[in-house]
Amino acid sequence: MALLEVDGLRVRFERSAVDGERIRPVDDVSLRLEPGEALGLVGESGSGKSMTALALMGLLPRGAVLEGGSVRLGGRELLALPERELRRLRGDRIAIVFQDPSGALNPYLPVGLQLAEVLEEHRGIARREALRRSARALGEVGIPDPEARLAAYPHELSGGMRQRVAIAMALLCEPEILIADEPTTALDATLQAQVLELFAQARRARGTALLLITHDLGVVARSCDRVSVMYAGRLVETAELREVFARPLHPYTLGLLESAPRLAREGGARPELPSIPGLPPDLARLPAGCAFHPRCSFRIERCGRERPSLQPFMERPRDAAGGVRRLDGPRRAACHEKERLGALARPQVPA
């Protein structure tokens, strides 16, 4: 049994789209996380990554409704729990680093008190000891003079420091699962490496499972074991890290990889930076068939009328001795042309 099992998760907005269609920012998403494993959830802004994280935590915003699915933590169904029990789990067994630290921190309380309250609530630790541990946690995420920073209010800290406070808060109770939503966006390269190493230490020392939500493929390449790619609220590809970067099976994944910046070789011309044509779809007016097909250079007639489901990759044999080999592992893609993409060798692993 996996530590976290998500099956068929669906979220819709209460208001309907045009023509009576529902707006689903999360549509039939399934994920697995084992102890100590890191899964990268990637995609453009608006693909449904953050809404998936909020649904897992039971923190959907006003206007969003959980339409269906299952979320099990250690075999225990979370979606059926009352709010009181969910609050005991949040910050303790499962914690989240929000994308916007300014919205995650109380502007009226010093950061030390906000950190200490986590330990007081979930561990029953006295205030003085909780503050001492909070200062140590701030130091571990690279905040200088952490004891003095305990008295600071969020508005007195830079955006990067507020992000580090949020990361320290999430790690305080040594959670079994850490959901990190764009945790390094506001950090420079040195601090980014330090924070990613903190996550790696938690995985090694305590078996913490990491769900890393990001658009930065370099961060994914350095931090994750597996990758799931989202587009228009649905998973379009999921596989082991090396498989996705070396041979993507969905045109959207390929577009994301080819859009990653690359350094020019010494004395060479600056490499051209490709981009994915068009814009992400309006969830209220999704095209028929595959949501990505209007932007896809691999599309065929079938793509405009039939939406592909997430299916195992069927790899053609390398010799004439056997039949088609079915890969029953985590390698899956939602594309009618995944076999054609799978035949292309496109190593894209970032340095």
Side-chain angles (χ1 to χ4, degrees):
M1 184 196 313
L3 177 60
L4 179 69
E5 298 173 284
V6 182
D7 290 304
L9 187 67
R10 296 190 305 278
V11 175
R12 66 172 170 83
F13 290 121
E14 286 182 328
R15 68 181 183 87
S16 296
V18 294
D19 301 325
E21 293 293 329
R22 297 290 188 183
I23 301 175
R24 291 188 178 92
V26 180
D27 189 4
D28 195 24
V29 169
S30 298
L31 302 168
R32 296 288 186 278
L33 261 179
E34 302 288 346
E37 185 181 33
L39 171 64
L41 189 60
V42 303
E44 295 168 291
S45 296
S47 60
K49 307 184 302 299
S50 295
M51 193 67 72
T52 299
L54 293 175
L56 298 182
M57 298 291 292
L59 294 172
L60 288 174
R62 183 175 300 176
V65 178
L66 185 67
E67 194 174 47
S70 172
V71 178
R72 294 183 298 277
L73 175 59
R76 185 184 187 188
E77 179 59 60
L78 299 186
L79 300 185
L81 292 180
E83 177 62 23
R84 190 171 187 176
E85 292 189 47
L86 274 175
R87 290 186 61 163
R88 293 196 189 105
L89 295 176
R90 294 190 202 115
D92 184 12
R93 294 186 64 190
I94 181 168
I96 185 169
V97 180
F98 291 101
Q99 186 172 359
D100 177 16
S102 299
L105 298 173
N106 190 327
Y108 297 104
L109 296 177
V111 297
L113 180 58
Q114 297 185 56
L115 289 163
E117 282 183 338
V118 175
L119 293 169
E120 291 171 1
E121 175 70 22
H122 293 295
R123 294 291 183 266
I125 296 174
R127 175 66 57 86
R128 178 173 294 185
E129 174 63 14
L131 287 171
R132 188 187 69 80
R133 295 191 187 187
S134 298
R136 184 176 64 190
L138 292 180
E140 288 175 348
V141 295
I143 292 183
D145 197 7
E147 290 80 8
R149 295 294 182 182
L150 292 176
Y153 288 82
H155 73 271
E156 297 177 298
L157 305 177
S158 68
M161 292 182 74
R162 287 194 294 268
Q163 183 70 296
R164 282 177 275 165
V165 169
I167 292 169
M169 185 181 295
L171 292 172
L172 266 178
C173 289
E174 302 179 352
E176 296 173 58
I177 297 173
L178 177 63
I179 301 173
D181 190 358
E182 301 283 3
T184 60
T185 300
L187 307 180
D188 61 37
T190 302
L191 289 173
Q192 180 184 97
Q194 185 176 349
V195 167
L196 294 178
E197 178 56 28
L198 272 176
F199 293 163
Q201 288 175 8
R203 294 172 57 202
R204 291 192 298 265
R206 300 186 290 273
T208 301
L210 174 65
L211 177 59
L212 180 62
I213 298 172
T214 181
H215 64 274
D216 190 332
L217 293 169
V219 170
V220 169
R222 294 195 298 272
S223 307
C224 296
D225 304 305
R226 292 188 295 114
V227 182
S228 289
V229 182
M230 284 194 78
Y231 186 79
R234 295 174 63 88
L235 293 182
V236 297
E237 183 166 357
T238 182
E240 300 293 331
L241 176 74
R242 287 282 171 182
E243 291 177 337
V244 166
F245 281 107
R247 190 169 57 161
L249 296 181
H250 196 282
Y252 179 59
T253 309
L254 178 61
L256 291 176
L257 291 168
E258 290 186 335
S259 300
R262 290 169 178 77
L263 294 175
R265 294 182 178 179
E266 186 175 354
R270 180 178 300 176
E272 182 181 353
L273 185 61
S275 62
I276 302 174
L279 296 172
D282 181 353
L283 292 179
R285 297 174 177 82
L286 286 177
C290 174
F292 186 66
H293 89 267
R295 310 172 68 187
C296 181
S297 59
F298 289 83
R299 64 180 178 269
I300 57 177
E301 186 273 336
R302 180 186 181 189
C303 300
R305 56 179 170 81
E306 182 181 335
R307 185 171 71 175
S309 59
L310 199 66
Q311 295 292 330
F313 176 46
M314 307 292 287
E315 187 174 43
R316 296 293 171 184
R318 297 182 183 278
D319 53 55
V324 173
R325 183 164 64 97
R326 180 187 179 97
L327 302 183
D328 290 318
R331 192 91 210 255
R332 296 173 182 269
C335 180
H336 297 308
E337 291 292 283
K338 56 182 175 293
E339 278 76 25
R340 179 153 64 109
L341 270 78
L344 304 176
R346 294 175 181 262
Q348 299 285 342
V349 181

